[in-house]
Amino acid sequence: MQRAGSVVSRLGSRLQALPSAPCRSLSCAQTKIFGCDRVKLMESLVVGDIAELKPNQGTLSLFTNEAGGILDDLIVTSASEGHLYVVSNAGCREKDLTLMQDKVRELQNKGSDVALEVMDNALLALQGPTAAQVLQAGVADDLRKLPFMTSAVMEVFGVSGCRVTRCGYTGEDGVEISVPAAEAIRLAAALLKNPEVKLAGLAARDSLRLEAGLCLYGNDIDEHTTPVEGSLSWTLGKRRRAAMDFPGASVIVPQLKSKAQRRRVGLTCDGAPVRAQSPILSPEGTVIGAVTSGCPSPCLKKNVAMGYVPYEYSRPGTPLLVEVRRKQQPAVVSKMPFVPTNYYILK
Amino acid sequence: MALRAVRSVRAAVGSLCAISAPSAGCSPRPWGLRAGAVRALRTGPALLSVRKFTEKHEWVKTENSVGTVGISNFAQEALGDVVYCSLPEVGTKLNKQEEFGALESVKAASELYSPLSGKVTEINKALAENPGLVNKSCYEDG
C-alpha cells in the first residue's frame, strides 16, 4: 500500500530502520468529568454536540472564548463507565484545567452534579498500517470491532486499566493508549519488543500530521482564530449552531454565512521548503497572509504547508506566491489532507 | 564534498581565516547557528590543502587560491536527510561569515555561512537533483 511504503521510507530515514508502527508518548493532558450534569458542563465550554455522542464514541472539539477564539482543541469521549474522557494539549494544561475547574465550581454552586479528576496517566500513540495487528497480539478484545473514534478499556500486554482509543494525529490507522503512569514504561517496552514498532520523534510526528492536514494548536489555530477561519466549521454541532449556546457563538455562527474572513488553507510548492511565518503573497506580489506550519512531505516529495489567506484566495487550485529567505516561489492552494487518510471506518 | 568553490581574496598580510575544530561539547541541536569566532592566522604553504573547520560546522579546503566549502559529518547527522540545497549564484561576492545559502531537511533549515571572503566560481550542481549527497558524502561528492 502506497502510504505504508512511504511511512516506512520516511521513518526509515529518520530512524535508520524500517518501522511500520511508530510509537511515541504524547504531550497531552487527560481529564475525567463525572456526574449527571457532565454533558451540560462540557457543552458550556465546547462547540460540539456532546449529548449526541454514543457510548464510547469520541469527537474532536474546541474550547472557545467569548470573542470566538479557539482556546484549545481536544477530544471528548463519552465513556460507558459514566464519565467524559477529555484529552487536550499539555501546552494548554493550566489554561484548560482552570477553565474546566472554574466551570465545575460554578455549576456545583448552582446545585449541579458534576466533578473533575485529573488523570495520572501517560498516553502512548501507536500508529501505522500494522498498528492494530501489533496491538491485537496483546489484547483480548477484537480490535476489528473498535472503529475510528471509539474507545474501550482493556488489558494491554499485561497492563490492566488501559483505555484504548482508535484515533491519532497521523492520518493513519492507529490507537492512543492511556496507561497508568507507573506502568507506562513497561507497556512501551512491551510494544517495542515487536520489531514492527519503532520510536518516532517530534519531527516525524509533525510531518505526518501536516500531510494529514491536522492543525497544531499554537501554530495553525490559537486564541485569535475562530473555528470558521480555521476551516474547522465541521466541529460546530448542528444543534449548537441553532441554539447558539457555546462561548463565542454570536461571533462564530454569523461567520458561517459571511465570506469576510481569512481562511486556513493547504499549500503545496516545489523549491525551498516553506515553514511557519513565511509570507504568502498574491500573484501580483502583495502580502496577503502567512504560513503557520510547513515541511517537506516525505510521501509527496513536495513541500506542504498551512497558512491563512483572505477568503477570496482560498479556493483549491488558486496560484499564490510564498517568500522563503527573500525569494518568492510559486505555490498552489491545495485540499487537505495532502495524503489520503486511512482511518479504520466501518461501512 | 564540494558545496561550492570560492576564490579566496588574498588579504594584505597573507593570512587565512580560521578555524577551530568543533569542540566536543557542541550542543546537539542547532548546528551552524552560533556566531563563529574566527581568528586570523599566518599560515604557510604546507597548511593550504588541509581541511579546516569553522565553529558553524562548515569546512574549507583551499588550493591555488580557490576554496572548496562543505559541512561537517557532525552537521549532516544533526540535520537529518537533506531534501533541498539553496546555493548562491556563480559570481556572487561574499564576505567572511556572510550567510550564503541554506540546507533543508524535513525537520529544520540551517543557514550556511561563508568561512572566507571571495567570489563564487562554482557550485555543486549535483545537489539540485541529489541533495542527499550532503549526507552520504559530506567531504567529497556532497
Side-chain angles (χ1 to χ4, degrees):
Chain A
M1 189 229 298
Q2 194 249 346
R3 170 83 168 167
S6 303
V7 168
V8 162
S9 64
R10 165 217 354 245
L11 290 166
S13 63
R14 268 281 297 151
L15 304 165
Q16 285 91 48
L18 290 175
S20 56
C23 175
R24 71 177 305 274
S25 167
L26 295 177
S27 38
C28 291
Q30 300 170 71
T31 318
K32 283 181 179 162
I33 312 279
F34 296 94
C36 304
D37 297 312
R38 60 188 182 275
V39 170
K40 184 166 121 188
L41 176 127
M42 209 66 227
E43 289 201 352
S44 72
L45 299 173
V46 305
V47 302
D49 287 334
I50 305 302
E52 283 77 348
L53 287 174
K54 300 203 227 359
N56 296 321
Q57 186 188 14
T59 185
L60 178 76
S61 199
L62 306 171
F63 286 133
T64 47
N65 60 25
E66 292 301 331
I70 301 172
L71 291 170
D72 200 6
D73 61 348
L74 61 149
I75 304 218
V76 182
T77 301
S78 177
S80 58
E81 292 83 2
H83 61 267
L84 293 176
Y85 168 60
V86 179
V87 182
S88 51
N89 286 299
C92 300
R93 189 194 298 273
E94 295 301 321
K95 180 171 73 168
D96 293 348
L97 191 55
T98 306
L99 187 74
M100 289 187 281
Q101 276 173 337
D102 284 353
K103 191 56 80 168
V104 165
R105 224 169 290 125
E106 184 191 312
L107 290 186
Q108 280 173 346
N109 287 341
K110 294 198 197 138
S112 292
D113 171 30
V114 72
L116 176 153
E117 176 194 310
V118 175
M119 294 172 68
D120 182 29
N121 276 29
L123 198 63
L124 295 178
L126 184 69
Q127 301 278 305
T130 59
Q133 181 196 312
V134 166
L135 186 64
Q136 189 65 79
V139 304
D141 293 40
D142 183 356
L143 294 173
R144 287 173 304 187
K145 303 214 183 85
L146 191 75
F148 182 58
M149 297 313 287
T150 62
S151 184
V153 175
M154 57 185 80
E155 187 180 285
V156 181
F157 285 101
V159 180
S160 58
C162 292
R163 173 169 289 282
V164 175
T165 309
R166 197 70 168 257
C167 70
Y169 194 50
T170 61
E172 245 309 334
D173 186 20
V175 294
E176 293 186 346
I177 308 169
S178 175
V179 50
E183 303 276 29
I185 293 180
R186 180 165 84 121
L187 179 55
L191 289 165
L192 287 165
K193 275 215 187 73
N194 188 324
E196 291 271 293
V197 180
K198 289 293 187 313
L199 292 172
L202 278 175
R205 182 190 91 153
D206 202 47
S207 64
L208 286 161
R209 69 96 188 164
L210 258 169
E211 288 177 332
L214 301 173
C215 292
L216 176 61
Y217 188 81
N219 274 39
D220 310 300
I221 48 176
D222 59 26
E223 292 185 22
H224 305 290
T225 56
T226 69
V228 176
E229 290 172 334
S231 302
L232 294 170
S233 300
W234 65 267
T235 60
L236 306 172
K238 204 160 145 208
R239 169 176 50 87
R240 313 299 306 283
R241 292 183 200 198
M244 305 258 297
D245 62 350
F246 55 89
S250 55
V251 173
I252 296 168
V253 175
Q255 286 189 341
L256 290 168
K257 294 261 168 47
S258 126
K259 300 182 182 186
Q261 329 75 19
R262 57 199 181 129
R263 289 293 161 97
R264 178 180 63 96
V265 297
L267 296 164
T268 51
C269 66
D270 293 315
V274 165
R275 306 198 196 248
Q277 283 150 38
S278 293
I280 303 173
L281 304 99
S282 69
E284 294 75 40
T286 328
V287 176
I288 55 170
V291 173
T292 52
S293 292
C295 75
S297 161
C299 285
L300 299 175
K301 306 265 189 286
K302 274 174 166 302
N303 302 311
V304 296
M306 291 184 201
Y308 283 82
V309 296
Y311 182 86
E312 60 266 32
Y313 291 96
S314 62
R315 189 155 2 118
T318 306
L320 295 172
L321 297 168
V322 268
E323 195 178 283
V324 181
R325 279 186 289 278
R326 297 171 298 281
K327 285 216 286 263
Q328 294 174 357
Q329 56 190 42
V332 178
V333 175
S334 308
K335 268 166 68 144
M336 295 184 284
F338 299 100
V339 174
T341 56
N342 189 36
Y343 302 127
Y344 179 64
I345 297 178
L346 292 179
K347 303 274 187 316
Chain B
M1 168 252 261
L3 192 61
R4 50 161 205 150
V6 172
R7 191 180 56 207
S8 56
V9 166
R10 232 162 309 162
V13 294
S15 61
L16 264 183
C17 311
I19 310 170
S20 37
S23 66
C26 274
S27 81
R29 272 190 34 150
W31 78 274
L33 297 175
R34 281 182 293 176
V38 177
R39 291 183 295 280
L41 267 186
R42 200 181 305 275
T43 62
L47 292 177
L48 285 175
S49 60
V50 163
R51 186 177 294 119
K52 299 191 178 176
F53 292 84
T54 69
E55 282 192 3
K56 291 186 181 155
H57 300 282
E58 287 93 7
W59 57 259
V60 61
K61 201 157 88 160
T62 52
E63 214 164 323
N64 303 324
S65 83
V66 174
T68 301
V69 177
I71 64 165
S72 69
N73 189 54
F74 176 89
Q76 70 79 14
E77 264 182 18
L79 199 53
D81 289 354
V82 175
V83 299
Y84 185 79
C85 301
S86 178
L87 298 177
E89 306 222 330
V90 169
T92 310
K93 287 210 173 77
L94 293 172
N95 293 314
K96 192 173 73 193
Q97 294 180 292
E98 193 181 326
E99 187 195 316
F100 69 80
L103 298 178
E104 304 257 11
S105 68
V106 173
K107 63 178 172 176
S110 215
E111 281 76 31
L112 298 163
Y113 299 90
S114 181
L116 302 170
S117 298
K119 190 164 81 165
V120 178
T121 58
E122 191 188 333
I123 59 171
N124 184 347
K125 293 205 194 64
L127 295 176
E129 287 301 306
N130 200 348
L133 283 173
V134 175
N135 303 106
K136 287 199 267 283
S137 175
C138 61
Y139 293 119
E140 300 298 328
D141 303 322

